[in-house]
Amino acid sequence: MTILVHSNSELRTALNGLSNNICLVPTMGALHEGHASLIKLAKKYVGSTGCVIVSDFVNPKQFGVNEDFEKYPRNLDSDLIVAQNAGANILWAPDVKDVYPGQWPLEVETDLRFEILEGRNRPGHFSAVIEVVTRLFDIVQPNAAVFGEKDFQQLILIKEMANKRNPKIGIIAGPTRRDKDELALSSRNVYLSSDQRNAAALIPQALKLAIKESKNGANVEMLKSIVKNKLKESDLIEIDYVEILGNDLNAIGANENARILIAVKLGDTRLIDNMSVQLKGNL
Ligand code: AMP
């Protein structure tokens, strides 16, 4: 049975009597099987007696002025069903005033990696993500938290923030859950028309082609071209970026396990994806 709570005091009351071995799964709601897989991972981490809290909060601060904050899909009823089926103990849907009580500033230490990839056209996005996660951690004080590899840049930046600020909180990475045609599940997929949805299957195809060609010796520049050419098979896809970086999001070094990261737009919908690639010998 999953308990639905809103305010921080309701959360505290619900936690009374439950285990204090807590794993937090931060989400913006519109829960799908990708989120469910993270909840199951959290449950595995805390065991049957531990407590999994799923936060369900569309954080206004991390959306830019022209982004989709207003129309971002929200459905608490279906979120409760997904959370319950995946084994969450508490679904916590706070209000803005619960997460941002008062106006005290919270300094976020940034570096160049906040400004690349997703940060390039979304100024302030990652500072806002780090801020909200820090506030959620402060309110819940979990033992661990789960984040998806789907948002790879977010995962890496949060991991480093947590290591510095909350070293006792274990950060667990969940693999990306995909649809039958391997498109990564995303709350934003509901915006796609059926033509756009079909074209979006080129995203995982492009990533997998690059992995295959890296094994055949293609170097980084060749791999980026291969990915771009694959994506260009549909004129519904507008490429934002195709990058290959080290696993810490710094430039790739020698013999590195790297990450290919893609962002595209289909109409007004922006989708991201990434996969791991082994670049040994073909930098
Ligand atoms: P969101 O609600 O989109 O902010 O995502 C909440 C968490 O779910 C983040 O840690 C995401 O990386 C993760 N997530 C989103 N999509 C997927 C997916 N397809 N597979 C696994 N995790 C995901």
Side-chain angles (χ1 to χ4, degrees), residues 25-35 37-38 57 62 72 146-152 154-155 158 174-178 183-188:
V25 184
T27 80
M28 297 205 299
L31 300 186
H32 49 64
E33 279 309 306
H35 299 112
S37 70
L38 303 188
F57 179 62
Q62 74 189 63
Y72 195 82
V146 185
F147 295 88
E149 285 184 4
K150 159 81 172 30
D151 297 278
F152 192 75
Q154 169 175 288
L155 169 68
I158 288 172
T176 302
R177 280 293 301 270
R178 297 176 178 279
L183 176 66
L185 298 180
S186 163
S187 307
R188 291 190 166 100

Side-chain angles (χ1 to χ4, degrees), residues 70-137:
E70 295 300 337
K71 75 163 189 172
Y72 195 82
R74 293 165 172 87
N75 191 340
L76 205 49
D77 292 339
S78 84
D79 287 351
L80 187 57
I81 294 168
V82 176
Q84 174 133 334
N85 288 341
N89 300 82
I90 296 176
L91 180 65
W92 172 45
D95 229 33
V96 172
K97 66 178 183 322
D98 296 303
V99 179
Y100 300 100
Q103 285 304 315
W104 75 86
L106 201 152
E107 281 300 311
V108 173
E109 201 183 309
T110 63
D111 66 42
L112 284 178
R113 293 165 309 158
F114 282 65
E115 310 298 332
I116 59 171
L117 307 171
E118 288 305 284
R120 194 163 54 103
N121 295 320
R122 307 181 76 186
H125 172 72
F126 282 113
S127 303
V129 168
I130 297 292
E131 176 179 359
V132 76
V133 172
T134 305
R135 290 187 186 276
L136 298 178
F137 281 2

Side-chain angles (χ1 to χ4, degrees), residues 176-220:
T176 302
R177 280 293 301 270
R178 297 176 178 279
D179 223 331
K180 283 197 192 76
D181 61 359
E182 300 207 57
L183 176 66
L185 298 180
S186 163
S187 307
R188 291 190 166 100
N189 291 352
V190 297
Y191 300 150
L192 300 173
S193 69
S194 68
D195 284 351
Q196 289 170 337
R197 175 63 190 79
N198 289 337
L202 287 169
I203 302 167
Q205 285 172 23
L207 289 166
K208 289 179 77 176
L209 188 59
I211 291 166
K212 182 169 158 241
E213 293 303 328
S214 77
K215 288 180 187 149
N216 293 334
N219 66 26
V220 169

Side-chain angles (χ1 to χ4, degrees), residues 178 181-183 199-214 222-234 237 239 241-244 260-264 273-277:
R178 297 176 178 279
D181 61 359
E182 300 207 57
L183 176 66
L202 287 169
I203 302 167
Q205 285 172 23
L207 289 166
K208 289 179 77 176
L209 188 59
I211 291 166
K212 182 169 158 241
E213 293 303 328
S214 77
M222 288 158 79
L223 293 175
K224 285 200 222 173
S225 301
I226 287 165
V227 170
K228 286 180 183 164
N229 287 336
K230 187 73 192 168
L231 294 170
K232 283 179 192 158
E233 283 180 18
S234 168
I237 294 183
I239 299 172
Y241 61 74
V242 172
E243 284 296 346
I244 302 182
I260 314 179
L261 305 112
I262 292 181
V264 300
D273 199 355
N274 68 85
M275 286 187 192
S276 162
V277 63

